[in-house]
């Protein structure tokens, strides 16, 4: 085994490189980096999320996007939301933290996995994506469209699976990045493999002073905070057929908060600390009986906790103290049977035990469910692939649900692949959608379950925290379970000259969709949210992506672009418009008038048009650069004329464009990188507080890896 710094162990080599610094350029080191990149490209051709077993990316009948590690490094991104925000058809939603919207669905309906296991700890349906550091990510797989037939109800819109590094070779990596708002990110990763034993360890610390987009008011838009992530992963090869993998992820965050509240017409300042703790443990035992049959037993346990305490700055008297605790346990057994080259079967059974305890709930709540899934893959010819699958869920609190799915792919020519899929999904309202009574002391927004909205909104109004009521609270009634039927049709075209293009058309018909909607705007610029059933909603649209790579010698230039058209509307609203029974008040004449169909903008928070363009360059002398532009068209934010729909120009947030640029120079095992995010300094403090403006940064990293993994039989 050889390393970039020969004759030394990886850690000693890393230390040596840091000592000798930028003045030294070791011959051949850049070639080793290229070797790693080449190996990763080969691995990227296999994905696991779409079928729960390894399949070639180019032959799948489902729309799957893969973001490789090399691209993430060139972007200079630190957190998961930074990476996802630049992908076609994905929007970052900033209503209860930063979540992702896919095919017009809110973040509730997208399952976020780390190495195939779900992250928990959602606030009003949004899983805060900035909790995930990207320093040890090997690739990200994104499956768009319903995947409930394999993953259950949370996968109604799609699945995002974060694949982290495995200890398949000796490696070490150290990165330091400093930027605007006194943001400091430190990451370190190291791994080795000796015969049967492999160990990979990753650590990250992130700290920022936050920022303030409203200097006229007391408190910051985002208060100072720091967090850490630790991820050890261990593998042990008992025999050629049996392998054990144990991994853990620990995340902790502390934020210092301060803001003003109004009590009896008097403004008072409160301050305190908010803490987040997230810990997950996975153990997987895999045994391959022969070349046709494999059995995998997994146990996953996760805990998520938040605590917040706020006191008056003048006298130290406690103002508010809250906590939230969630636990998740899932044992699962999965079998993969390759009957022959034309018939593959995947099946499994499992149990989920979930508990929630929080300040805002009257008592601890418990859920339990049993499930079974099966998937059959049939290859009648070399050009045709058929996948038929389904999952049955028996829940302790809601009715049983069966979620079937059919997917077909046909290789029309060597360059053109046609594909289509259809599936059914189901999701019932959870406890937070019914009974949550929560005000985030960190960000300042409030969320109320449908049964708590009236009392909660009245309390905020009495405290003087409501600047404007955007929607009629009486429109938020009892919630009903929701279900959907979805179809995806697409094609993929590739040439040997480096050009590739794909198109995907989708349609989702949802009944009783549960929507998060802003009810009021608070005096601190944040919002009051609650939940609303929207009958017979549909989302439909299309995505087009194209890329072209030019190579000259060892230099490479890649240009890619993507566009999404999206419609997301309530069928009952369209029916009322057709029947001329939907009205509004003209703000100038104050006369009541019918709403024309052309003025109906659909569901809140959806952009009809969005696009991106990205340019990546890499030269053989270690120079690399990227320029990325992201456009999001206008989208609705709130109902200002009190007719409960989006139909007036002043109910939209204006569209915008963000440009990001980065450049790096590799010197041996060291890389110096600089970049500017949001180059044109776009800001919208009222409606997009998550966008702080232009951010410059500088990064230094060192990478070591072996040229090839030790040869150890795979089970």
């Amino acid at each position: 085994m050889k390393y970039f710094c020969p004759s030394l162990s990886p850690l000693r080599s890393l230390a040596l490189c840091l000592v000798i610094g930028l003045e030294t350029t070791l011959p051949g080191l850049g070639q080793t980096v290229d070797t790693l990149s080449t190996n990763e490209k080969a691995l990227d051709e296999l994905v696991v999320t779409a079928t729960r077993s390894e399949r070639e990316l180019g032959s799948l009948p489902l729309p799957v996007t893969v973001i490789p590690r090399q691209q993430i490094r060139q972007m200079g991104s630190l957190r998961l939301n930074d990476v996802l925000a630049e992908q076609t058809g994905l929007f970052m939603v900033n209503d209860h933290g930063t979540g992702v919207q896919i095919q017009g669905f809110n973040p509730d309906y997208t399952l976020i996995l780390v190495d195939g296991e779900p992250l928990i700890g959602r606030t009003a349906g949004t899983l805060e994506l900035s909790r995930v550091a990207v320093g040890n990510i090997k690739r990200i797989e994104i499956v768009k469209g319903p995947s409930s037939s394999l993953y259950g109800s949370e996968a109604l819109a799609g699945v995002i699976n974060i694949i982290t590094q495995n200890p398949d070779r000796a490696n070490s990596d150290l990165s330091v990045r400093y930027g605007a708002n006194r943001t400091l990110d430190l990451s370190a990763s190291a791994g080795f493999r000796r015969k049967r034993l492999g160990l990979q360890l990753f650590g990250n610390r992130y700290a920022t002073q936050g920022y303030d987009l409203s200097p006229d008011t007391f408190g910051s838009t985002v208060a100072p905070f720091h967090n850490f992530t630790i991820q050890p992963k261990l593998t042990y090869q008992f025999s050629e057929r049996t392998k054990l993998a144990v991994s853990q992820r620990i995340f902790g965050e502390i934020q210092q908060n301060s803001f003003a509240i109004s009590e009896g017409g008097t403004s008072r300042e409160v301050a305190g600390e908010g803490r987040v703790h997230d810990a997950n443990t996975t153990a997987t035992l895999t045994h391959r009986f022969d070349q046709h049959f494999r059995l995998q037993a997994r146990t996953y346990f996760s805990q998520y906790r938040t605590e917040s305490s706020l006191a008056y700055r003048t006298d130290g008297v406690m103002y508010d103290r809250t906590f939230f605790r969630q636990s998740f346990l899932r044992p699962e057994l999965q079998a993969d049977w390759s009957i022959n080259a034309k018939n593959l079967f995947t099946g499994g059974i499992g149990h989920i035990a979930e508990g929630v305890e929080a300040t805002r709930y009257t008592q601890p709540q418990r859920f339990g469910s049993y499930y079974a899934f099966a998937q059959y893959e049939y290859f009648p010819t070399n050009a045709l692939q058929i996948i038929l699958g389904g999952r049955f869920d028996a829940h302790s609190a809601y009715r049983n649900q069966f979620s079937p799915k059919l997917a077909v792919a046909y290789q029309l020519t060597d360059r053109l692949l046609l594909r289509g899929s259809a599936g059914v999904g189901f999701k019932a309202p959870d406890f937070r959608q019914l009974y949550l009574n929560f005000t985030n002391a960190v960000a300042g927004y409030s969320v109320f379950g449908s049964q708590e909205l009236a009392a909660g909104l009245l309390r905020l109004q009495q405290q003087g925290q409501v600047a404007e009521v955007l929607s009629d609270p009486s429109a938020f009634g009892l919630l009903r379970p929701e279900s959907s039927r979805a179809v995806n049709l697409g094609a993929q075209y590739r040439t040997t000259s480096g050009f590739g293009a794909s198109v995907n058309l989708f349609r989702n018909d949802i009944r009783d969709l549960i929507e998060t909607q802003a009810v009021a705007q608070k005096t601190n610029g944040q919002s009051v949210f609650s939940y609303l059933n929207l009958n017979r909603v549909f989302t439909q649209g299309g995505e087009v992506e194209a890329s072209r790579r030019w190579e000259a010698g060892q230099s490479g230039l890649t240009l890619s672009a993507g566009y999404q058209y999206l419609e997301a509307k309530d069928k009952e609203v369209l029916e009322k418009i057709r029947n001329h029974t939907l009205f509004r008040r003209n703000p100038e004449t104050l006369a009541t008038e019918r709403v024309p169909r052309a003025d109906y903008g659909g569901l809140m928070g959806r952009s009809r048009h969005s696009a991106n363009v990205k340019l990546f360059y890499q030269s053989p002398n270690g120079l690399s650069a990227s320029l990325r532009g992201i456009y999001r068209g206008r989208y609705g934010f709130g109902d200002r004329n009190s007719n409960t729909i989006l139909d007036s120009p002043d109910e939209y947030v204006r569209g915008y464009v963000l440009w990001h640029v980065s450049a790096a120079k590799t010197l041996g095992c060291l890389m110096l990188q600089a970049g500017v995010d949001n180059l044109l300094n776009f800001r919208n403090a009222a409606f997009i507080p998550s966008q702080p403006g232009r951010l410059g940064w500088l990064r230094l990293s060192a990478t070591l890896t072996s040229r090839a993994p030790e040869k150890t039989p795979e089970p």
Side-chain angles (χ1 to χ4, degrees), residues 340-615:
N340 52 48
K342 293 186 176 182
N343 297 273
L344 306 176
F345 174 82
T346 300
I349 56 173
H351 171 65
I352 295 175
E354 190 171 6
V356 175
E357 184 178 3
T359 311
R360 304 303 184 186
Y361 293 112
T362 55
Q363 60 184 2
Q365 306 289 348
R366 296 279 184 267
F367 278 159
S369 66
Y370 293 90
Y371 63 89
F373 62 89
Q375 177 180 268
Y376 171 61
E377 297 175 70
Y378 179 47
F379 301 83
T381 69
N382 291 333
L384 181 62
Q385 178 186 7
I386 300 173
I387 297 179
L388 180 63
R391 171 167 165 147
F392 179 80
D393 288 88
H395 202 281
S396 62
Y398 306 114
R399 67 182 184 185
N400 300 336
Q401 175 65 25
F402 178 65
S403 304
K405 185 173 187 175
L406 173 66
V408 179
Y410 184 70
Q411 192 76 46
L412 187 62
T413 68
D414 291 341
R415 297 180 175 181
L416 182 61
L417 174 74
L418 305 179
R419 63 192 178 202
S421 62
V424 174
F426 169 86
K427 191 175 186 301
D430 56 30
F431 286 104
R432 64 180 172 81
Q433 292 168 334
L434 294 172
Y435 305 115
L436 188 65
N437 187 339
F438 173 71
T439 294
N440 189 307
V442 175
Y445 60 83
S446 297
V447 188
F448 298 109
S450 62
Q451 302 302 300
E452 301 288 337
L453 174 62
L457 185 61
L458 179 61
R459 185 176 66 253
L460 293 179
Q461 288 175 317
Q462 292 173 342
Q463 293 174 349
Q465 295 190 49
V466 176
E468 181 182 5
V469 176
L470 302 172
S471 301
D472 182 4
S474 63
F476 295 72
L478 290 173
L479 295 179
R480 300 179 294 276
E482 54 193 326
S483 60
S484 76
R485 290 174 172 79
V487 175
N488 282 262
L489 298 173
Q492 181 175 297
Y493 182 79
R494 287 183 177 180
T495 71
T496 56
S497 61
F499 175 77
S502 66
V503 60
N504 186 61
L505 306 177
F506 60 87
R507 166 89 181 192
N508 298 283
D509 283 280
I510 309 105
R511 187 175 180 81
D512 292 330
L513 178 71
I514 299 175
E515 271 284 283
T516 304
Q517 190 159 315
V519 183
Q521 190 167 27
K522 301 178 73 173
T523 54
N524 63 358
Q526 298 292 341
S527 300
V528 178
F529 299 93
S530 188
Y531 305 95
L532 185 67
N533 269 122
L534 297 175
N535 291 323
R536 296 186 296 138
V537 165
F538 71 87
T539 73
Q540 64 181 17
E543 293 179 7
V544 179
E545 291 184 289
S547 66
R548 177 72 166 89
R549 179 171 175 82
W550 294 270
E551 294 184 349
Q554 296 184 11
S555 298
L557 179 68
T558 301
L559 174 65
S560 65
Y563 167 79
Q564 177 181 272
Y565 176 81
L566 173 67
E567 286 188 352
K569 294 183 177 180
D570 187 335
K571 294 180 183 179
E572 288 195 353
V573 172
L574 292 174
E575 188 174 335
K576 289 180 180 178
I577 292 175
R578 281 195 300 270
N579 295 333
H580 306 293
T581 57
L582 189 58
F583 302 92
R584 67 184 176 191
R585 175 164 293 185
N586 189 305
E588 297 180 357
T589 64
L590 300 182
T592 300
E593 61 185 21
R594 293 187 176 90
V595 177
R597 176 169 181 143
D599 286 357
Y600 177 43
L603 306 185
M604 301 287 179
R606 275 74 172 179
S607 295
R608 180 169 296 183
H609 304 283
S610 63
N612 64 76
V613 59
K614 291 175 274 191
L615 186 66

Side-chain angles (χ1 to χ4, degrees), residues 217-240:
T217 60
F218 177 76
S220 302
T221 304
V222 172
F225 69 91
H226 64 273
N227 59 46
F228 71 88
T229 303
I230 300 174
Q231 281 185 264
K233 181 183 288 187
L234 181 144
T235 61
Y236 188 79
Q237 197 90 36
F238 290 101
S239 68
E240 293 184 357

